[in-house]
Amino acid sequence: MLRASCIVCRGLANKRFKEDAKYSLRKMHTRRIHHYCFSRLKIQRPLPQTTMCCYSSLSRVPLWRSRLLAPGYGYQIKRNFWVARLASRLLKLRYLVLGSAVGGGYTAKKTYDQWRDMFPDLSEYKWIVPDFIWELDEHIDFEKFSKALPDSEELAKLLPDFDKLGERFSFLKGWLSSGHNLVSEAIGSSDLLLLLGSGGETAFKATDSHGYDNSDKQYKKGLLGELILLQEQIKQHEEEARRATGNINTGTSQQKRKTSDKEKVDQLQEELLRTQMKYQRILERLEKENKDLRKLVLQKDDKGIHQRKLKKSLIDMYSEVLDILSDYDANYNTQDHLPRVIVVGDQSAGKTSVLEMIAQARIFPRGSGEMMTRSPVKVTLSEGPHHVAVFKDSSREFDLTKEADLAALRDEIEVRMRKSVKNGQTVSPETISLSVKGPGIQRMVLVDLPGVISTVTSGMAPDTKETIFNISRAYMQNPNAIILCIQDGSVDAERSIVTDLVSQMDPQGKRTIFVLTKVDLAEKNVASPNRIQQIIEGKLFPMKALGYFAVVTGKGNSNESIDSIKDYEEEFFQGSSLLKKGMLKAHQVTTKNLSLAVSDCFWKMVRESVEQQADAFKATRFNLETEWKNNYPRLRELDRNELFEKAKNEILDEVISLTQVTPKHWEEILQKTLWERVSTHVIENIYLPAAQTMNSGTFNTTVDIKLKQWTDKQLPHKAVEVAWDTLQQEFSRFMTENKVKEHDIFDKLKEAVKDESIKRHKWNEQAEDSLRVIQHNALEDRSISDKQQWDAAIHFMEETLQSRLQDTESVIRDMVGPDWKERWFSWTSRSPEQTIRNETKKELEKMLKINEDHPAYLANDEVTTVRKNLESRAVEVDPILIKDTWHQVYRKHFLKTALGHCNLCRRGFFYYQRNFVDSELECNDVVLFWRIQRMLGITANTLRQQLTNTEVRRLEKNVKEVLEDFADDSDKKLNLLTGKRVQLAEDLKKVREIQEKLEAFIEALHQEK
């Protein structure tokens, strides 16, 4: 029975072992629970063996082979399984270590995330450090830089006290972790935060003191904590002073004023003033330390940074957009509504001095009582390591820490202002753009406008007053422009003109800041100090404003430095009764507070309006692109500069084409043109007088004398003129022929370039002297070498005489009127004068028929005879008319006779070779025309060489100079490249550029946030 139960037990054990391999049968036998029969039974043979194997997860190989029952029992089985027990314990330990590592890593990550979330978000203060600081690790080898640093002991002497800085930064960290905003609290604690109310209520308010009750422990250390505590003390003292003053005023109506109460009020006011001054000194100390630290950071790697191109700052990007907009002509009702600070004021009110205090440099021209600001000056203020000024269109940097550079900058601004004033005007709307950078300068864009005047004085243009008003209105009508209204505190407020103008442009005062200057003089001169208080509180003027400030811009000495003016301003307000009596608040005085407030208002206006302006220009760009596609679908969008470059290349190609003209073409044109210029002189002054002589000797002598005189005085100069005119004609021909219709817009430019180049071109003066010798030698030669030259001379003579005969007949026809054919077929008639001339002509022709060898001049008795003959036919004629008619009649007779003689001389070359010996034929006139023809050919050849070798190249050089001058003159290009296509492409380019720069600025603005 017992043995059967043991067999059953072993069967169950085998079944369980097969189901779960993780448990071995040996473990069941190692337990101290055994059947009682094992101790008494004696088994004669071993039990059947099993092939089941146990595997380890480490080795994956069988550790041992086991039998269900070994030959022995009891404790021997326990001793054989200690290795397995140890292995199982080690396996469990492995899983525990792995689980602990995973859990520990997860816990550490969670703890790190919680610790990181406790830190404040400092991305809003990224603007404190310039953009290039974040990129230093990409451009600077800090290992080399660290090796170049001095020893630790020397460096420790130069560095500030880091223990104090560590305390301040630890305090700053604790303050930020509590949820406060550093910038708003710091500005709020100094009463400089400019708040723009939503419902039309706008004022400069101090930050409320809520939020400090539960965090007093955080303000025990550091200057910032002292500032907060001082602000609370100031408010507390102000409330006590008001309460005491109220008690005194109430008491006067009921009883006499008590001396103790008055002393208490004075004590409270003095304590309040001392607290305010202490508060202001601590604030200035903190700002100075911040300024020095920022300057050190900006100059950290001065050499490496300034050798590469710096990333543009936010204010520089914005200023570029404004510069482009100032040059953009808005033809599509796209107005410039981007914010800028407009500085307006009466003349000599101190607005330029206020701007200089904000820029921390005396950069503007100075004068006593006269108008110095003659055009708008746009000043872009930004922070930088060095205090410098740069004009928009210049690369020169003016070092504002050196008096010589300051004087040069003032002179340059004055010169630019006077250049902008044209046509006898006093002021100009042209804007002068200037950038000023320096440590601690508030970022903004200001525009200084000419001072408003009430009367036009001598020396000014009559419309100066209206021009200044128009310029001021044009800038102030921008709904996003911040108006900085400057009022002179040393004169009566009723004399102000600018306040009425500002009230018209901004009646609600939502974007106006009022500044009262020369408060030191006002305090001395004003009989009632309450009047100053009324001005600062906005109760004296109907004009409304965001905030009111009182400043002092010096003692009136133009040689004062900015630092001395600041010291004087601080000293004045410390001792001023206006502050002691509470008429002015601490945050309403000094130009430092003014610049902080104006900068804050400027950037708030920029963030609110810049995206709307970008959308407006995006819509304008779409409209312009659509118009271009509809009107010029196959043309590229070339602006005025690109079109000028294209026209420049065409003009230079045309000038080069002059060098390709053949010598034959040059000589033909020169010879033809020269003969057209000199033919009249040759016929009238040389040939006709010589032809009146009786013999050949006298003819040749007369010809030689007149040719010599002509060559010495007129001929060379006339030939040079002909060559120059020919060069101009060829140049014009190349510029006008093969003109593409699309390039009609270049016509005015090409004409202007041609005229200016010709105007600058001067022919070589030595050319006339050399040409005179050549022409004189050519005219002295009379030897005709062959028959071909003889025939060419005769042909030349016939053409000349025939042309002159046609001209003469045309003149006679005009004198005598139409003949009988024209009268019958054209229904025309002669005038009375033409009838008289016709009768005179008939009478003179009868005289020539009688004497064909009649001389050229008509004698007086012959004139009388002709007149009497005409009177016999009832024709009254004047002797002058007879001589005038005779000149044309004899000319016609002579030319016909000369043509007939020329025809006879065709066969006279043989007699010419024999010098006309034994011959009645004389052809000296043919020789004259051959000499003239030969001179024309030689002169044309000489001029052609001069043109191709020298003058064409000089003309090309002049054209290049003219094109370079035109390229630098924007007004020239504006006047010479005109048309709808040009203007549309120009507008499209400007709008694209503005939109791209605005989008880049908006992206940078969002990154700064």
Side-chain angles (χ1 to χ4, degrees):
M1 187 68 180
L2 290 174
R3 185 174 182 179
S5 63
C6 287
I7 293 173
V8 173
C9 182
R10 285 197 298 272
L12 293 174
N14 288 333
K15 182 178 181 181
R16 183 179 180 185
F17 188 81
K18 293 179 180 178
E19 292 177 355
D20 190 2
K22 290 191 290 184
Y23 297 95
S24 65
L25 187 59
R26 297 290 182 91
K27 290 185 180 181
M28 297 180 60
H29 289 279
T30 56
R31 297 178 184 176
R32 294 187 180 274
I33 303 174
H34 301 282
H35 293 281
Y36 62 91
C37 62
F38 282 137
S39 61
R40 292 177 292 180
L41 287 174
K42 290 183 179 180
I43 305 175
Q44 298 298 328
R45 59 182 178 84
L47 296 173
Q49 296 182 356
T50 178
T51 59
M52 182 66 67
C53 297
C54 182
Y55 293 91
S56 170
S57 62
L58 295 175
S59 63
R60 288 298 187 187
V61 296
L63 298 178
W64 37 264
R65 288 183 180 273
S66 61
R67 301 174 185 272
L68 288 178
L69 288 177
Y73 311 104
Y75 296 101
Q76 185 178 0
I77 298 176
K78 288 184 180 180
R79 288 195 300 270
N80 293 337
F81 283 87
W82 67 271
V83 178
R85 290 198 300 273
L86 179 60
S88 65
R89 296 299 186 271
L90 291 177
L91 291 176
K92 290 182 179 179
L93 181 61
R94 180 189 65 177
Y95 288 112
L96 289 175
V97 172
L98 182 60
S100 300
V102 174
Y106 174 75
T107 306
K109 182 179 181 302
K110 185 175 182 181
T111 304
Y112 168 75
D113 293 339
Q114 293 176 355
W115 175 75
R116 185 183 61 183
D117 295 339
M118 293 174 63
F119 275 91
D121 185 10
L122 295 178
S123 61
E124 296 184 2
Y125 317 112
K126 189 177 179 180
W127 60 270
I128 297 177
V129 181
D131 295 338
F132 63 84
I133 296 298
W134 307 107
E135 303 174 0
L136 288 179
D137 57 345
E138 300 177 2
H139 305 278
I140 301 176
D141 190 351
F142 285 100
E143 294 182 0
K144 295 182 181 179
F145 182 72
S146 61
K147 293 179 182 179
L149 289 175
D151 297 337
S152 59
E153 296 179 358
E154 298 178 359
L155 186 62
K157 297 178 182 180
L158 300 175
L159 293 177
D161 190 354
F162 287 103
D163 294 335
K164 295 182 179 180
L165 291 177
E167 292 177 0
R168 293 174 186 172
F169 280 113
S170 61
F171 159 70
L172 178 63
K173 175 183 174 184
W175 189 35
L176 289 174
S177 61
S178 62
H180 289 83
N181 187 311
L182 173 63
V183 179
S184 61
E185 292 296 339
I187 299 177
S189 63
S190 57
D191 283 344
L192 297 178
L193 182 59
L194 178 60
L195 301 177
L196 297 176
S198 59
E201 301 175 359
T202 56
F204 287 103
K205 302 177 181 179
T207 305
D208 296 337
S209 60
H210 66 277
Y212 300 139
D213 299 338
N214 298 329
S215 56
D216 292 338
K217 296 180 181 180
Q218 299 177 1
Y219 305 121
K220 291 181 179 180
K221 295 182 180 181
L223 289 176
L224 198 58
E226 295 180 15
L227 289 175
I228 303 300
L229 296 176
L230 284 174
Q231 185 190 15
E232 294 179 351
Q233 293 178 10
I234 290 172
K235 292 183 178 180
Q236 184 178 359
H237 291 325
E238 288 178 351
E239 293 177 359
E240 292 179 358
R242 284 195 212 95
R243 193 181 304 112
T245 305
N247 294 336
I248 291 176
N249 294 334
T250 305
T252 53
S253 61
Q254 299 176 358
Q255 56 184 358
K256 296 181 179 180
R257 180 178 302 171
K258 296 181 181 180
T259 306
S260 59
D261 293 339
K262 183 177 181 182
E263 292 177 353
K264 184 177 179 181
V265 171
D266 294 340
Q267 183 180 1
L268 287 174
Q269 289 180 349
E270 291 178 0
E271 187 177 358
L272 173 63
L273 183 60
R274 285 196 300 271
T275 306
Q276 288 178 339
M277 292 298 103
K278 183 179 179 182
Y279 166 77
Q280 190 71 19
R281 284 194 297 271
I282 294 176
L283 179 63
E284 292 176 356
R285 178 184 168 191
L286 183 62
E287 291 174 350
K288 185 177 180 180
E289 291 183 1
N290 183 33
K291 177 180 177 181
D292 295 339
L293 288 175
R294 289 170 63 84
K295 187 174 181 180
L296 286 174
V297 171
L298 293 174
Q299 293 178 341
K300 190 70 175 177
D301 187 23
D302 187 47
K303 294 182 180 179
I305 291 175
H306 288 281
Q307 287 177 355
R308 62 186 176 85
K309 186 177 180 181
L310 294 178
K311 183 179 180 181
K312 291 183 180 178
S313 63
L314 196 62
I315 190 65
D316 291 336
M317 296 172 65
Y318 186 75
S319 179
E320 285 185 0
V321 176
L322 295 182
D323 289 336
I324 299 173
L325 282 173
S326 63
D327 300 332
Y328 173 62
D329 184 15
N331 292 327
Y332 295 88
N333 298 323
T334 303
Q335 298 179 357
D336 175 15
H337 289 167
L338 290 175
R340 70 259 288 161
V341 181
I342 309 302
V343 185
V344 295
D346 298 328
Q347 183 178 346
S348 301
K351 55 183 180 57
T352 302
S353 300
V354 171
L355 201 154
E356 287 181 335
M357 291 293 290
I358 296 175
Q360 301 180 14
R362 306 298 296 271
I363 59 177
F364 289 101
R366 306 167 190 175
S368 55
E370 60 177 328
M371 178 180 293
M372 299 305 299
T373 306
R374 297 180 177 270
S375 65
V377 181
K378 182 177 75 68
V379 183
T380 303
L381 302 178
S382 59
E383 191 171 18
H386 306 285
H387 202 185
V388 295
V390 182
F391 286 99
K392 178 188 71 172
D393 54 354
S394 175
S395 59
R396 178 185 176 184
E397 283 191 352
F398 295 87
D399 189 350
L400 302 184
T401 59
K402 298 179 181 180
E403 187 59 35
D405 282 17
L406 278 172
L409 177 61
R410 290 192 290 266
D411 294 341
E412 180 66 19
I413 293 177
E414 186 173 2
V415 169
R416 287 173 178 256
M417 285 184 179
R418 295 190 181 278
K419 284 183 178 180
S420 65
V421 178
K422 301 176 182 178
N423 301 325
Q425 298 296 315
T426 307
V427 293
S428 170
E430 296 183 11
T431 304
I432 299 174
S433 184
L434 178 69
S435 297
V436 177
K437 297 183 179 181
I441 296 180
Q442 299 297 321
R443 304 180 302 168
M444 67 184 89
V445 178
L446 302 100
V447 181
D448 185 23
L449 299 181
V452 179
I453 60 175
S454 58
T455 305
V456 178
T457 59
S458 60
M460 293 185 179
D463 60 343
T464 301
K465 179 179 178 181
E466 290 76 12
T467 304
I468 294 175
F469 270 88
N470 294 334
I471 294 174
S472 301
R473 289 192 185 97
Y475 277 91
M476 288 190 292
Q477 70 183 0
N478 179 0
N480 297 320
I482 300 169
I483 303 173
L484 197 62
C485 180
I486 309 299
Q487 171 64 35
D488 190 351
S490 63
V491 299
D492 295 336
E494 290 77 10
R495 295 169 57 185
S496 175
I497 307 173
V498 70
T499 53
D500 294 337
L501 180 61
V502 173
S503 299
Q504 296 174 6
M505 306 308 297
D506 184 24
Q508 301 299 325
K510 294 182 178 181
R511 50 189 180 91
T512 301
I513 300 174
F514 182 85
V515 181
L516 185 66
T517 62
K518 305 177 184 179
V519 182
D520 52 342
L521 300 178
E523 187 179 23
K524 296 178 182 179
N525 300 334
V526 177
S528 176
N530 293 330
R531 190 174 179 84
I532 298 178
Q533 183 179 5
Q534 291 178 352
I535 295 175
I536 296 301
E537 292 178 353
K539 298 179 180 179
L540 187 63
F541 294 110
M543 182 191 71
K544 298 179 181 179
L546 285 170
Y548 299 83
F549 286 87
V551 298
V552 175
T553 56
K555 300 179 182 179
N557 185 5
S558 59
N559 296 324
E560 288 181 292
S561 64
I562 294 296
D563 293 335
S564 61
I565 295 175
K566 286 183 178 179
D567 296 338
Y568 173 71
E569 184 182 39
E570 181 180 355
E571 181 182 352
F572 166 77
F573 282 116
Q574 285 180 357
S576 174
S577 60
L578 299 174
L579 277 178
K580 292 180 179 179
K581 295 181 181 180
M583 296 182 183
L584 296 178
K585 305 297 181 184
H587 67 273
Q588 292 181 313
V589 297
T590 72
T591 52
K592 180 65 176 178
N593 294 346
L594 172 64
S595 63
L596 289 170
V598 174
S599 177
D600 184 76
C601 185
F602 168 76
W603 283 107
K604 183 174 182 179
M605 191 73 78
V606 168
R607 288 185 175 91
E608 291 177 352
S609 60
V610 67
E611 293 188 359
Q612 181 180 359
Q613 289 297 301
D615 293 339
F617 279 102
K618 186 176 181 180
T620 304
R621 174 180 175 177
F622 175 78
N623 295 337
L624 292 175
E625 289 177 345
T626 303
E627 185 175 359
W628 181 273
K629 291 177 182 178
N630 293 333
N631 295 324
Y632 311 103
R634 298 183 179 179
L635 296 179
R636 290 192 301 124
E637 302 161 1
L638 300 179
D639 59 11
R640 189 170 277 109
N641 293 330
E642 293 171 335
L643 287 172
F644 180 82
E645 291 298 323
K646 186 174 181 179
K648 176 181 176 181
N649 294 331
E650 288 189 9
I651 293 172
L652 293 177
D653 292 341
E654 291 159 0
V655 175
I656 293 176
S657 299
L658 286 174
T659 60
Q660 308 299 323
V661 178
T662 60
K664 181 179 179 181
H665 180 73
W666 277 119
E667 292 182 10
E668 288 178 354
I669 295 177
L670 288 170
Q671 186 171 352
K672 178 181 179 182
T673 307
L674 180 60
W675 175 241
E676 289 176 354
R677 298 284 183 90
V678 302
S679 60
T680 301
H681 180 84
V682 171
I683 298 299
E684 302 294 337
N685 298 328
I686 298 177
Y687 175 62
L688 288 178
Q692 304 302 318
T693 58
M694 301 302 295
N695 53 50
S696 60
T698 307
F699 178 89
N700 292 330
T701 302
T702 305
V703 167
D704 291 342
I705 293 173
K706 290 187 177 295
L707 287 177
K708 181 68 168 57
Q709 294 175 349
W710 182 45
T711 306
D712 291 339
K713 296 181 180 180
Q714 300 179 7
L715 183 58
H717 180 70
K718 185 70 69 175
V720 170
E721 285 185 355
V722 168
W724 180 223
D725 292 342
T726 303
L727 180 61
Q728 296 180 39
Q729 293 174 3
E730 289 298 301
F731 183 36
S732 301
R733 180 175 66 84
F734 278 108
M735 295 184 69
T736 54
E737 71 179 4
N738 299 326
K739 183 176 67 175
V740 183
K741 184 177 180 181
E742 298 175 355
H743 297 172
D744 292 343
I745 53 179
F746 297 155
D747 291 347
K748 292 175 64 176
L749 176 61
K750 290 183 177 181
E751 189 69 23
V753 171
K754 184 194 73 173
D755 295 342
E756 185 64 22
S757 302
I758 292 172
K759 182 179 178 182
R760 296 185 183 184
H761 186 85
K762 294 185 180 301
W763 200 274
N764 190 1
E765 296 179 357
Q766 298 178 357
E768 291 188 14
D769 298 334
S770 60
L771 189 61
R772 183 179 291 107
V773 175
I774 294 173
Q775 291 173 339
H776 183 72
N777 293 333
L779 289 174
E780 283 187 346
D781 187 9
R782 301 179 185 176
S783 59
I784 304 176
S785 59
D786 53 17
K787 182 70 165 56
Q788 184 178 1
Q789 294 183 5
W790 180 270
D791 294 339
I794 291 177
H795 179 70
F796 175 61
M797 180 178 176
E798 283 183 343
E799 285 185 350
T800 303
L801 295 179
Q802 190 67 37
S803 174
R804 293 292 166 177
L805 179 60
Q806 292 177 359
D807 294 340
T808 303
E809 289 178 347
S810 177
V811 172
I812 294 175
R813 189 181 302 109
D814 294 336
M815 292 173 60
V816 300
D819 56 4
W820 64 272
K821 292 181 180 179
E822 293 177 353
R823 291 198 302 271
W824 279 98
F825 293 102
S826 300
W827 293 87
T828 56
S829 60
R830 292 172 177 169
S831 63
E833 183 180 358
Q834 290 176 342
T835 302
I836 295 174
R837 285 185 178 274
N838 184 50
E839 296 295 331
T840 306
K841 170 179 165 291
K842 291 179 180 181
E843 192 67 26
L844 293 173
E845 287 176 348
K846 292 179 182 179
M847 185 183 297
L848 284 174
K849 287 181 180 181
I850 295 173
N851 185 10
E852 293 184 355
D853 296 331
H854 195 286
Y857 300 100
L858 192 64
N860 291 330
D861 55 347
E862 293 176 331
V863 173
T864 303
T865 301
V866 172
R867 183 170 60 83
K868 288 183 178 180
N869 292 335
L870 292 174
E871 288 178 351
S872 64
R873 295 200 299 265
V875 178
E876 296 290 336
V877 63
D878 186 67
I880 297 177
L881 187 145
I882 295 174
K883 292 181 178 181
D884 187 21
T885 307
W886 164 256
H887 176 72
Q888 298 298 331
V889 172
Y890 179 82
R891 184 183 182 88
K892 178 181 179 182
H893 170 72
F894 173 79
L895 291 173
K896 286 184 177 181
T897 304
L899 283 172
H901 179 70
C902 181
N903 190 27
L904 293 176
C905 289
R906 288 183 182 277
R907 59 182 183 275
F909 180 69
F910 173 74
Y911 299 104
Y912 166 75
Q913 289 179 329
R914 299 179 59 184
N915 294 322
F916 299 104
V917 177
D918 298 333
S919 174
E920 297 180 356
L921 181 64
E922 294 183 356
C923 298
N924 293 317
D925 50 356
V926 177
V927 177
L928 171 63
F929 276 93
W930 178 84
R931 294 166 68 185
I932 297 295
Q933 187 182 30
R934 185 169 181 272
M935 181 273 299
L936 292 175
I938 294 175
T939 302
N941 181 269
T942 304
L943 293 176
R944 189 264 306 168
Q945 295 179 9
Q946 180 74 14
L947 284 173
T948 56
N949 296 335
T950 306
E951 303 304 330
V952 171
R953 295 178 181 176
R954 291 179 59 201
L955 178 63
E956 181 180 357
K957 181 180 178 182
N958 290 337
V959 170
K960 290 180 179 179
E961 292 177 355
V962 171
L963 288 173
E964 290 177 358
D965 294 342
F966 283 8
D968 298 333
D969 192 345
S970 57
D971 293 336
K972 283 281 187 183
K973 290 188 286 188
L974 185 64
N975 296 328
L976 297 177
L977 292 174
T978 58
K980 181 180 178 181
R981 172 189 167 189
V982 181
Q983 191 61 45
L984 186 58
E986 194 74 14
D987 292 341
L988 188 54
K989 175 193 173 184
K990 289 289 185 181
V991 170
R992 281 176 177 168
E993 187 177 6
I994 292 170
Q995 184 198 357
E996 291 173 358
K997 289 187 177 295
L998 274 176
E999 290 176 352
F1001 170 74
I1002 293 172
E1003 183 179 357
L1005 187 65
H1006 290 165
Q1007 291 179 357
E1008 187 183 69
K1009 289 181 181 180

